């Protein structure tokens, strides 16, 4: 079933939104079950995993998708089939190596960042590298054929399994180990020095149980994709019969590896962003606590539990857990627009391979407009309503002000983070596979420097992660836009693609903040005030889009039209 960009993007976006809702139903109560300390262990494990996963697989699904789309547009359907055959052993090998690196590297990394409690979670997550590598073969193949359904359904299955097994597993482990400590003073049969050590150990194993749910979700997602593939890929036998002879499998494998290396380097670079935060935010805050703790402790007075104050070495992990609770909300925006990039790549590749400049411009402008329409109000809303949103999602807990402070900086950063992936996908689609890598690496150099400097300032600490992320993604976005215009020679209509959505988003943010202020005065600051403010902002935004004619009627008509 071939899908147009808009239809595929709509399907992927709906899937991503559902996955994010399920993810919120997982992470938000999970933070209450395993506490901020457990979220610190959970996030530290994920930061390392993302890098290993990117090294193992990240470039291959995009390379498979691009190669499949290009050969499909040229009628080389036997090559399309053979590309997947060539990809499978490569994915198996890299996934197995990635799992091995995760297992061997986990003890070294936890010692390096001074967070030994993250080790059980990292080991529980290791098999997911191999499972996700095998799933990526199917996802990249069907995305290249412009069929986003397998990817969407498999992601939803993975999220639901993570919710069911991860949350229930974490609750069971936390409850059982807490009862054991209360009864015998041990945790999983091991003696602990005091209540503080017991709490850290319990949270570490609770985080590992939650992450084991992620691994089980990856296994079920792979099982679905395997069963779905047995129904066929939709290429008719008549097309295969008249297709030219395919290239040798070894030749296609070499092309796949060559195409995937720059993409993989770029994906690794992006995942290193999380690793930078995990490493610097914890080590630099530990440095602050050793040299000048007073400003930091005064800044978060009443927000850091006494148990952590009694064990200062646990404060960096606690604050990193708070930072990642804000990061969970931040990631919603680029996660959704990543679907636009995935759907854009085969569509833009198809237009570029055929050399139809008008079709290429239309496809590229549609991607940029769709990204702007979603990202701008979401990012502005996260910034102006950071406090109310953090309170709505996480409740009145001591850490909520810390989460809100981090989220305020991340809201603006999410706009640029959301734009970089679709722009990078379009650069890859027009044949410049290495350019997004160079631009992202350049932005990350800036992020590393800023993160190290700012996270070491006592009055800034974890907020340095949000500020450095904002600067990094802003630079990458501007560079990618400039490169895309220069390479393609296409001049975007920035008034309709960016300026009009930005003006409407400004109205949205102003309306949401104004409504929240009015409600807060009337209710005394009820938790649900933020929900009504967001709804009011969304209504104003929709009206502004219509009045400014930022959404084109012909694009709405194409949303449900499949490509022929």
């Amino acid at each position: 079933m071939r899908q147009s960009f808009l239809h595929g993007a709509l399907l992927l976006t709906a899937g991503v939104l559902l996955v994010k809702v399920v993810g919120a139903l997982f992470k938000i109560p999970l933070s209450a079950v395993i506490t901020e300390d457990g979220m610190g262990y959970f996030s530290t494990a994920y930061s390392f995993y993302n890098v290993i996963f990117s090294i193992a697989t990240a470039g291959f699904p995009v390379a498979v998708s691009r190669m499949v789309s290009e050969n499909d547009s040229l009628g080389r359907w036997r090559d399309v089939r053979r590309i997947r055959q060539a990809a499978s052993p490569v994915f198996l090998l890299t996934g197995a190596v990635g799992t091995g690196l995760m297992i061997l590297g986990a003890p070294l990394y936890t010692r390096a960042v001074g967070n030994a409690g993250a080790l059980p979670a990292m080991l529980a997550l290791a098999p997911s590298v191999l499972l996700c590598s095998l799933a990526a073969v199917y996802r990249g193949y069907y995305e290249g054929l412009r069929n986003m359904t397998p990817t969407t359904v498999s992601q939803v299955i993975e999220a639901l399994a993570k919710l069911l097994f991860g949350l229930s597993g974490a609750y069971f482990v936390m409850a059982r180990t807490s009862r054991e400590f209360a009864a015998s003073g041990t945790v999983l049969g091991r003696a602990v020095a005091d209540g503080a050590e017991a709490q850290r150990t319990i949270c570490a194993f609770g985080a590992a149980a939650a992450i084991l749910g992620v691994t089980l979700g990856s296994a079920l997602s792979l099982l679905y994709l395997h069963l779905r593939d047995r129904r066929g890929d939709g290429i008719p036998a008549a097309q295969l019969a008249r297709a030219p002879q395919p290239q040798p499998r070894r030749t296609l494998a070499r092309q796949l590896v060559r195409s995937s290396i720059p993409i993989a380097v770029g994906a690794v670079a992006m995942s290193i962003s999380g690793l930078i935060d995990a490493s610097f935010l914890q080590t630099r805050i530990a440095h602050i606590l050793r040299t000048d703790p007073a400003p930091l402790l005064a800044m978060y007075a009443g927000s850091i539990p006494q148990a952590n104050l009694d064990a200062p070495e646990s404060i960096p992990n606690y604050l990193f857990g708070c930072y990642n609770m804000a990061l969970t909300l931040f990631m919603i925006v680029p996660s959704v627009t990543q679907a636009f990039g995935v759907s854009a790549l085969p569509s833009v590749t198809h237009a570029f391979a055929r050399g139809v400049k008008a079709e290429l411009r239309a496809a590229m402008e549609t991607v940029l407009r769709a990204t702007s329409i979603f990202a701008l109000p979401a990012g502005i809303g996260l910034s102006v309503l950071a406090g109310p949103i953090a309170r709505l999602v996480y409740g009145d807990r001591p850490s909520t002000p810390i989460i809100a402070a981090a989220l305020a900086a991340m809201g603006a950063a999410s706009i640029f983070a959301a734009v970089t992936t679709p722009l990078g996908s379009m650069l890859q689609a027009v044949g410049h596979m290495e350019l997004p890598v160079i631009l992202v690496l350049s932005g990350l150099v800036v992020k590393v420097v800023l993160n190290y400097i700012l996270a070491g300032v006592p009055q800034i600490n974890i907020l340095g992660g949000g500020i450095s992320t904002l600067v990094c993604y802003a630079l990458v976005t501007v560079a990618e836009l400039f490169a895309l215009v220069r390479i393609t020679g296409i001049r975007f209509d920035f008034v309709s693609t960016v300026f009009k959505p930005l003006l409407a988003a400004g109205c949205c943010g102003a309306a949401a903040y104004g409504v929240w202020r009015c409600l807060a005065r009337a209710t005394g600051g009820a938790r649900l005030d933020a929900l009504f403010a967001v709804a009011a902002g969304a209504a104003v935004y929709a009206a502004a889009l219509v009045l400014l004619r930022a959404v084109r009627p012909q694009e709405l008509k194409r949303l449900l039209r499949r490509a022929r």
Side-chain angles (χ1 to χ4, degrees):
M1 182 177 66
R2 308 298 172 87
Q3 297 155 350
S4 67
F5 159 71
L6 283 171
H7 182 79
L10 181 65
L11 183 63
L12 281 174
T13 301
V16 167
L17 288 173
L18 180 57
V19 167
K20 287 301 172 183
V21 169
V22 175
L25 293 174
F26 171 59
K27 279 194 173 181
I28 293 169
L30 179 66
S31 66
V33 173
I34 65 176
T35 75
E36 288 82 358
D37 292 296
M39 291 303 293
Y41 302 136
F42 185 96
S43 303
T44 299
Y46 249 110
S47 298
F48 187 79
Y49 164 82
N50 285 336
V51 175
I52 299 298
F53 176 73
S54 297
I55 293 172
T57 68
F60 291 114
V62 177
V64 168
S65 176
R66 190 182 187 283
M67 288 176 64
V68 167
S69 177
E70 185 176 8
N71 282 278
D72 178 49
S73 66
L74 298 175
R76 301 184 63 90
W77 293 294
R78 294 188 186 183
D79 286 89
V80 168
R81 287 274 181 89
R82 187 160 286 184
I83 287 167
R84 186 174 66 170
Q85 295 171 1
S88 295
V90 175
F91 279 62
L92 177 62
L93 175 62
T94 57
V97 171
T99 292
L101 288 174
M102 187 85 179
I103 294 171
L104 296 175
L108 301 175
Y109 178 69
T110 53
R111 283 199 296 271
V113 298
N115 196 352
L119 181 59
M122 294 179 72
L123 295 177
L125 192 55
S128 188
V129 179
L130 175 59
L131 296 170
C132 290
S133 298
L134 297 175
V137 179
Y138 297 105
R139 289 175 178 173
Y141 181 71
Y142 283 101
E143 287 163 11
L145 291 173
R146 288 180 286 168
N147 181 2
M148 308 301 166
T149 304
T151 294
T152 302
V153 175
S154 65
Q155 288 174 339
V156 172
I157 290 173
E158 187 174 346
L160 289 172
K162 177 173 67 176
L163 170 65
L164 176 63
F165 297 114
L167 195 57
S168 60
Y171 181 82
F172 173 78
V173 169
M174 292 290 291
R176 179 171 179 178
T177 52
S178 296
R179 286 196 303 268
E180 178 190 345
F181 175 70
S184 63
T186 62
V187 177
L188 296 179
R190 295 169 51 193
V192 291
D194 51 32
E197 183 184 343
Q199 180 63 20
R200 292 194 297 273
T201 305
I202 289 169
C203 289
F205 283 104
I211 277 188
L212 188 59
V214 175
T215 299
L216 291 173
S218 301
L220 290 176
S221 173
L222 175 61
L223 177 62
Y224 158 77
L225 288 167
H226 176 70
L227 295 176
R228 164 64 182 79
D229 186 63
R230 294 173 67 176
R231 291 164 44 192
D233 56 13
I235 300 177
Q239 285 186 351
L240 287 172
R242 65 173 181 265
Q245 287 297 314
Q247 301 176 68
R249 187 179 302 180
R250 184 173 297 178
T251 301
L252 291 172
R254 282 198 297 265
Q255 291 178 12
L256 177 65
V257 173
R258 280 199 304 269
S259 299
S260 66
I261 287 174
I263 306 170
V265 173
V268 170
M270 296 303 290
S271 62
I272 287 174
S273 174
L275 195 63
I276 292 169
D277 287 338
S279 302
F280 284 173
L281 293 185
Q282 294 186 73
T283 56
R284 295 295 282 160
I285 290 172
H287 174 74
I288 291 172
L289 292 170
R290 289 193 303 269
T291 58
D292 187 17
L296 183 148
L297 296 177
M299 183 177 178
Y300 298 132
S303 295
I304 300 178
Q306 189 60 44
N308 296 98
L309 293 174
D310 292 340
E313 69 277 7
S314 70
I315 292 177
N317 178 70
Y318 174 85
L319 291 179
F320 184 61
C322 296
Y323 176 84
N324 274 276
M325 289 164 74
L327 194 65
T328 297
L329 301 175
F330 158 87
M331 284 303 300
I332 292 174
V333 185
S335 294
V336 171
T337 58
Q338 186 178 9
F340 300 158
V342 170
S343 187
L345 192 140
S347 298
V348 175
T349 300
H350 191 266
F352 183 72
R354 294 170 57 212
V356 184
K357 198 160 187 177
E359 183 181 340
L360 179 62
R361 175 175 179 164
M364 292 168 67
E365 283 194 345
T366 300
V367 174
L368 186 57
R369 185 181 299 109
T371 304
S372 299
I373 286 173
F374 176 80
L376 287 167
I380 290 173
L382 285 177
S383 286
V384 301
L385 292 179
I389 288 174
R391 187 164 173 253
L392 171 68
V393 173
Y394 294 111
D396 293 310
R397 53 204 299 172
S399 62
T400 301
I402 305 176
I403 299 168
L407 185 60
M410 290 184 190
S414 71
I415 297 172
F416 296 104
V419 176
T420 54
T421 300
L423 289 177
S425 293
M426 288 191 284
L427 283 171
Q428 291 163 355
V430 298
H432 288 262
M433 310 293 282
E434 76 293 337
L435 188 54
V437 179
I438 297 171
L439 298 179
V440 167
L441 286 174
S442 301
L444 281 177
V445 171
V446 176
K447 178 178 171 65
V448 168
V449 174
L450 283 178
N451 211 324
Y452 184 84
I453 295 171
L454 295 176
V457 177
Q459 294 81 0
I460 299 178
N461 52 83
I462 62 167
L463 304 185
I467 296 170
S468 63
T469 299
L470 170 60
V471 175
C472 168
Y473 282 117
L475 291 174
V476 174
T477 297
V478 172
E480 286 183 336
L481 268 174
F482 179 80
L484 199 57
V485 170
R486 183 159 186 168
I487 289 166
T488 62
I490 292 174
R491 302 287 176 179
F492 291 107
D493 181 2
F494 280 100
V495 172
S496 64
T497 56
V498 177
F499 180 73
K500 287 183 178 180
L502 177 60
L503 186 59
C507 296
C508 166
Y513 184 75
V515 169
W516 174 75
R517 290 288 300 230
C518 292
L519 287 173
R521 290 194 192 100
T523 64
R527 184 176 174 183
L528 292 179
D529 288 350
L531 194 60
F532 293 107
V534 170
V540 169
Y541 182 60
L545 286 177
V546 173
L547 291 174
L548 293 169
R549 297 183 179 179
V551 180
R552 296 179 177 179
Q554 61 268 31
E555 290 175 347
L556 291 176
K557 291 177 183 178
R558 292 207 310 265
L559 276 175
L560 298 179
R561 189 197 309 165
R562 294 174 174 82
R564 295 181 181 179

